[in-house]
Amino acid sequence: MKITIVGCWGGYPAPGGATSAYMLEKDDFTLLIDAGSGSLSKLQNMRHVMDLDAVILSHYHHDHVADIGVLQYAWLVQSYIHESNEILPIYGHTEDKEGFKSLTHKKTEGVAYEPSETLETGPFSITFLKTEHPVPCYGMRITDGRTTLVYTADTAFKEEWYEFAKDADFLIADCNFYEDQDGSSAGHMTSKEGAVIADKANVGKLILSHLPQYRDNNDLVKEAEQYFDGSIELAAEGLVWEKS
Ligand code: ZN
């Protein structure tokens, strides 16, 4: 499994950056998890847009879906150029009817995931946890049978994450706030909360993402280190981890 950070900012992209988007690859299968603002531009520095095999969305906030529309245009244009009849599946939940409907376009198709069931796409098995967020949002546990990634998407802290993230190799955690802040009403976590989950769940590596655009984000790592002894990294566009 190869994980690439395509976008890591919360709310809006930093200059030259992108909001939430992560690329997961295994064998020849490429899955894009969320498609935030600026992510299509970043993605094209890494892979051809037609290399995508599927997209999955945690929820329909702009900083997670802003580039779905332009991704649909990109697939339309590239399908003409390459004379391709391929349709890109975009998995989303159906608790936002308008949001889900918008996933279907000429060369893309919205496909509903049922959060209580395991979704199989390519080599990946995906289970879901409903997060604490102002709108329906789902975190994901994604495994290829050997390596496991847990993505909290957007969430306030809750103890259910301990079990959901248990022994995962990688945990990408919402870290939109510093330790001295309270993100709970906004539906986000602090550096400390992500680190406590990483510790209790015994994950291999904690990746702090959905980052704030103020103060020094390196402080988020220093704060998290007080609560988790394992490996901690700050997300940045283009960072890659691979584990087989
Ligand atoms: Zn959100």
Side-chain angles (χ1 to χ4, degrees):
M1 179 188 286
K2 181 179 173 187
I3 303 165
T4 304
I5 307 288
V6 181
C8 61
W9 296 97
Y12 62 96
T19 63
S20 295
Y22 308 91
M23 188 165 61
L24 204 54
E25 294 169 88
K26 167 83 173 178
D27 303 327
D28 280 338
F29 195 90
T30 302
L31 173 68
L32 183 67
I33 308 165
D34 286 341
S37 174
S39 63
L40 185 62
S41 176
K42 289 285 178 193
L43 176 78
Q44 290 174 97
N45 291 323
M46 303 162 183
R47 293 293 294 267
H48 194 283
V49 67
M50 297 300 283
D51 287 345
L52 291 179
D53 293 289
V55 179
I56 189 163
L57 302 174
S58 59
H59 67 307
Y60 297 93
H61 272 158
H62 297 303
D63 53 337
H64 293 253
V65 300
D67 275 13
I68 286 294
V70 289
L71 175 62
Q72 290 169 330
Y73 292 162
W75 262 63
L76 182 58
V77 171
Q78 291 294 325
S79 294
Y80 284 124
I81 294 169
H82 295 285
E83 296 180 3
S84 166
N85 291 319
E86 238 182 297
I87 300 289
L88 178 67
I90 304 179
Y91 295 95
H93 70 66
T94 56
E95 290 167 61
D96 176 336
K97 299 279 176 249
E98 283 302 304
F100 180 72
K101 209 172 131 210
S102 72
L103 306 183
T104 297
H105 190 252
K106 294 187 185 325
K107 293 292 176 183
T108 68
E109 183 184 11
V111 182
Y113 60 72
E114 174 51 56
S116 62
E117 293 172 7
T118 300
L119 172 70
E120 308 282 350
T121 181
F124 301 120
S125 296
I126 306 174
T127 51
F128 301 92
L129 179 67
K130 193 162 203 174
T131 76
E132 295 293 324
H133 203 53
V135 300
C137 176
Y138 289 90
M140 301 168 206
R141 183 180 177 100
I142 307 176
T143 184
D144 61 6
R146 297 173 68 92
T147 306
T148 299
L149 163 71
V150 170
Y151 169 48
T152 69
D154 287 6
T155 187
F157 175 82
K158 61 175 184 176
E159 289 191 351
E160 284 87 340
W161 287 111
Y162 299 165
E163 185 59 34
F164 190 73
K166 195 80 195 153
D167 298 325
D169 299 281
F170 300 95
L171 172 65
I172 298 178
D174 175 339
C175 185
N176 206 204
F177 288 96
Y178 292 86
E179 185 182 357
D180 62 350
Q181 298 177 297
D182 179 0
S184 57
S185 63
H188 292 291
M189 292 198 290
T190 65
S191 52
K192 174 184 175 180
E193 290 167 330
V196 167
I197 292 168
D199 178 60
K200 298 279 189 192
N202 188 40
V203 306
K205 181 187 287 289
L206 170 63
I207 300 161
L208 303 175
S209 195
H210 205 283
L211 301 171
Q213 292 87 350
Y214 47 87
R215 301 200 204 168
D216 179 354
N217 282 344
N218 292 306
D219 289 345
L220 296 168
V221 177
K222 290 181 196 150
E223 292 169 356
E225 282 170 350
Q226 305 303 310
Y227 304 95
F228 178 55
D229 284 341
S231 169
I232 305 174
E233 292 196 51
L234 196 61
E237 286 101 1
L239 280 184
V240 174
W241 297 274
E242 198 159 7
K243 188 164 189 261
S244 56

